[in-house]
Amino acid sequence: PHPFRVVAQTVVAVSIAMVISGWTGALISEKTEQEARIRRLELATLTALRNTLHTRVGSIAVLLVALVNALSPVVALLTVSLPYMITTLLGGETVYGLISSLAVTAALLLTAGAVVGRAAGINVLKTSGQMIGAGLAAAGLIILFETLF
């Protein structure tokens, strides 16, 4: 069992890392793609598009994509961690918090798989199974590394 403070500090630390990684990664890649789109459009139209509505809207879109990429993993982390954190905070049996967190994680993975499958026109059961498989693989690797170190 881990004290609530350790669990909360770990969640905050991982959240900070995910925000920085998601923000910078998306900002760099989206900004590069936006600049390339503008250059292609300028070549196609033989018009300079610097400081136009098109470039300003593109810049706002880059920031919005970076914000979503920064915050969505944090929301997912908090969603799956919350049952365990609440159980730890209230002094309950950690196994119940762990089981609750695993159930929430499975529900999120199944839902994500269903949404992806439906949006792509692929078998929903197949994509949901793939998501659960990826989650199990991640859990297996975490357990393996915790055992080794």
Side-chain angles (χ1 to χ4, degrees), residues 16-113:
I16 290 168
M18 288 192 302
V19 165
I20 292 170
S21 174
W23 176 265
T24 56
L27 194 65
I28 291 167
S29 64
E30 289 296 322
K31 188 174 180 184
T32 302
E33 285 181 31
Q34 177 65 17
E35 289 171 359
R37 279 192 293 270
I38 294 293
R39 278 193 303 274
R40 285 192 305 271
L41 194 54
E42 286 176 333
L43 287 172
T45 61
L46 301 175
T47 306
L49 295 173
R50 302 283 177 216
N51 299 320
T52 63
L53 179 62
H54 192 79
T55 56
R56 286 191 296 273
V57 169
S59 297
I60 293 169
V62 166
L63 293 175
L64 289 174
V65 168
L67 185 64
V68 168
N69 279 358
L71 296 180
S72 56
V74 174
V75 170
L77 173 66
L78 291 175
T79 302
V80 300
S81 300
L82 210 52
Y84 185 79
M85 291 177 66
I86 290 170
T87 303
T88 305
L89 179 65
L90 298 177
E93 291 290 326
T94 56
V95 70
Y96 295 129
L98 180 61
I99 290 169
S100 299
S101 285
L102 289 173
V104 169
T105 302
L108 279 176
L109 289 171
L110 285 169
T111 302

